[in-house]
Amino acid sequence: MNEDAARAEAPGPAGRNWAGNLAYRAQQLHEPRSLEELRDVVVREPRLRALGSRHSFTDVADGDALVSLDRMPGDIEVDADAGTVRLPAGTRYGTLAAALHERGWAVHNLASLPHISVAGAVATGTHGSGDRSGTLATAVRGLELVTADGEVVGVGAAQAAGDGAVARQLPDVDLDAAVVGLGALGVVTAVTLAIEPTFDVAQEVYPGVPWDDALADLDAVTGSADSVSLFTDWRSGAIGQVWRKSRVVAGWEPRTSLLGVPRSTVELHPLEDVDPRSTTAQLGVPGPWHERLSHFRMEHTPSHGQELQTEYLVPREHAVDAIGALRRLGPRLAGALLVSEVRTMAGDQQWLSGAYGGPTVGFHFTWRLDVDAVAALLPHVEEALGPFSPRPHWAKLFTVSGAGSPTALRAAYPRFDDFRALAARLDPQGRFHNAFLERHGLVG
Ligand SMILES: Cc1cc2nc3c(=O)[nH]c(=O)nc-3n(C[C@H](O)[C@H](O)[C@H](O)COP(=O)(O)OP(=O)(O)OC[C@H]3O[C@@H](n4cnc5c(N)ncnc54)[C@H](O)[C@@H]3O)c2cc1C
């Protein structure tokens, strides 16, 4: 299906996702204005899905009926003693970041864009980059959610709620089980995140770093800053751009070269034909964390805008071999690929996290908005990465016959069946089921 055909499908009342490739088929969109209204919607709708900021490329959020929390009231509350912030689940990272910075606080990392909702991002295992930096979900210290029976429950060490709405903590459910929850366990109403004192970051971009030099010691490259991204077309002998983000701490000094390649003296967009004004400040100039940790600015369209995305997470020890496999595939991807991004992340214990179990590397693909061309290529990408047990990013496009088959997912996620059992226990009637969860064997 090409761009025009993808857009031709008529959406329900929730409209389309950010990319426009998905017309939400749900025939009901609820927008409750209070916790009571939300609880009422949950017990009334036999099939209901929570909708975040609509940035996923898959139908992970879609269902028979949707509930958006955009009209729910709530404040961003910092608990300085606990080092946490409690926020309404639908809050965008960009809104949260500005509020935290103003009060002298920060979160540990951001994704490439600040436009996404906190609940949707953590529910899908969204991440930034950094050898020592866990996914965004690893900052979660507590969740408050409305479960299938309409009860408001807490998981983890939720910051004391001003409204005292949480009826009880869920017994036998810990955060590792529930944070990357894909909307299958309930509607999250508030999230408590770990925070730290605000810090400055300097961002530098290096165009044209030879692959051979980088692969000679990849750990040195990805460990050379707090967050490193490699942008590549997989075909060239050089990495198109290396982005480095470094915390400005005692002893920090500006750097001007990477493996002998000089730092860019002009700001760059990862895509040659897109205006770099939409990107965050570069050139090694220190500034607030939230104006550097994401690649793109809140007030601009992130990335390309007319695109699809895919990403696979692979155990870090396979990084060099997986890069080799993708470079061999590069010529085949040429017509459909806008750019790829390689990022690293620290491992975690969250059951459905792409970084479960140990250090991880992510291979991201920004594709042209051509659904058919991407669908035809995905089996080849998954075959190339097959030897490395790729975990597909839940929010980005993947197949149901390869890396996204229930069999492959069960092999890639050691706690897959535990998650199924938890979802069945919390939601025995399947109120939060949808086609995505069923297709990939996550419920049922
Ligand atoms: C331009 C662009 C750049 C991106 N860059 C990155 C990146 O750098 N790193 C990365 O990892 N990903 C990236 N993504 C993917 C993106 O992070 C996810 O698509 C997004 O975080 C999902 O959040 P959302 O609010 O849009 O959720 P939605 O797409 O609306 O929903 C996603 C899932 O979250 C669930 N959910 C949402 N709200 C709730 C709630 N209140 N309670 C329970 N469940 C809920 C939904 O049910 C659904 O299962 C990018 C996407 C785009 C469009």
Side-chain angles (χ1 to χ4, degrees):
M1 191 190 302
N2 62 25
E3 184 178 338
D4 292 339
R7 289 182 185 287
E9 281 173 48
R16 294 179 175 279
N17 64 344
W18 175 86
N21 66 305
L22 177 75
Y24 291 106
R25 65 169 193 82
Q27 291 306 307
Q28 291 288 329
L29 173 65
H30 299 281
E31 298 181 285
R33 293 171 184 271
S34 69
L35 193 57
E36 277 318 304
E37 275 183 43
L38 171 61
R39 295 178 64 187
D40 187 53
V41 168
V42 169
V43 293
R44 220 166 2 101
E45 283 290 357
R47 286 283 182 120
L48 182 71
R49 297 288 296 166
L51 183 63
S53 57
R54 301 173 170 82
H55 282 85
S56 297
F57 296 83
T58 58
D59 58 347
V60 62
D62 206 4
D64 293 351
L66 295 174
V67 60
S68 160
L69 305 187
D70 283 351
R71 293 176 197 261
M72 290 277 283
D75 296 322
I76 295 173
E77 302 163 77
V78 169
D79 181 337
D81 293 334
T84 56
V85 61
R86 176 179 180 270
L87 47 114
T91 308
R92 315 275 173 136
Y93 268 98
T95 307
L96 170 68
L100 283 178
H101 178 65
E102 201 179 280
R103 295 177 220 183
W105 294 95
V107 287
H108 76 290
N109 206 354
L110 292 171
S112 73
L113 76 174
H115 308 67
I116 49 181
S117 83
V118 172
V122 302
T124 52
T126 289
H127 60 89
S129 189
D131 285 358
R132 293 175 299 277
S133 189
T135 72
L136 303 187
T138 61
V140 176
R141 295 291 174 269
L143 294 176
E144 292 156 52
L145 63 162
V146 179
T147 44
D149 53 6
E151 198 181 3
V152 188
V153 300
V155 178
Q159 188 173 305
D163 48 19
V166 173
R168 65 183 178 105
Q169 290 293 110
L170 268 187
D172 311 325
V173 179
D174 66 20
L175 282 173
D176 285 341
V179 176
V180 185
L182 303 175
L185 307 179
V187 181
V188 175
T189 56
V191 182
T192 298
L193 297 176
I195 52 175
E196 55 189 284
T198 190
F199 52 86
D200 277 354
V201 169
Q203 175 164 250
E204 315 131 38
V205 176
Y206 296 91
V209 176
W211 265 120
D212 288 349
D213 294 349
L215 292 175
D217 190 351
L218 188 63
D219 291 350
V221 174
T222 62
S224 68
D226 292 289
S227 169
V228 176
S229 289
L230 315 181
F231 287 98
T232 177
D233 64 4
W234 300 117
R235 284 174 293 139
S236 161
I239 302 165
Q241 294 173 16
V242 177
W243 287 42
R244 287 205 301 206
K245 303 169 196 270
S246 308
R247 289 184 184 219
V248 178
V249 292
W252 173 85
E253 283 184 14
R255 293 181 294 183
T256 53
S257 75
L258 170 65
L259 297 173
V261 174
R263 186 180 79 196
S264 176
T265 53
V266 293
E267 300 209 326
L268 296 173
H269 192 286
L271 293 161
E272 262 172 29
D273 56 346
V274 183
D275 192 330
R277 272 180 295 189
S278 61
T279 63
T280 51
Q282 304 167 28
L283 313 183
V285 181
W289 61 277
H290 67 296
E291 296 176 2
R292 306 284 189 288
L293 283 184
S294 55
H295 302 330
F296 305 109
R297 294 175 191 264
M298 184 78 169
E299 60 278 16
H300 286 269
T301 299
S303 193
H304 184 275
Q306 299 289 309
E307 70 195 65
L308 299 172
Q309 295 187 8
T310 293
E311 188 171 22
Y312 299 97
L313 295 310
V314 165
R316 173 61 191 251
E317 68 258 28
H318 301 309
V320 171
D321 289 341
I323 287 170
L326 291 171
R327 289 182 73 197
R328 286 191 290 282
L329 191 66
R332 193 160 196 165
L333 309 180
L337 186 67
L338 287 168
V339 74
S340 260
E341 182 179 6
V342 182
R343 288 176 283 186
T344 59
M345 64 217 77
D348 60 56
Q349 291 299 314
Q350 297 181 341
W351 294 2
L352 293 187
S353 166
Y356 178 88
T360 296
V361 58
F363 298 105
H364 163 90
F365 303 79
T366 301
W367 308 106
R368 293 185 191 287
L369 183 48
D370 185 335
V371 175
D372 288 341
V374 172
L377 285 172
L378 288 182
H380 299 289
V381 178
E382 293 183 1
E383 192 185 346
L385 291 176
F388 315 115
S389 309
R391 294 177 179 147
H393 192 311
W394 302 114
K396 304 182 185 182
L397 301 173
F398 56 98
T399 75
V400 66
S401 51
S405 73
T407 310
L409 292 172
R410 181 172 282 109
Y413 289 90
R415 306 302 299 266
F416 189 82
D417 283 320
D418 293 330
F419 184 83
R420 283 172 51 95
L422 177 63
R425 177 156 68 87
L426 293 183
D427 181 18
Q429 307 301 322
R431 195 181 291 280
F432 300 120
H433 289 191
N434 69 356
F436 178 96
L437 296 174
E438 286 161 2
R439 187 190 320 134
H440 298 292
L442 288 146
V443 294

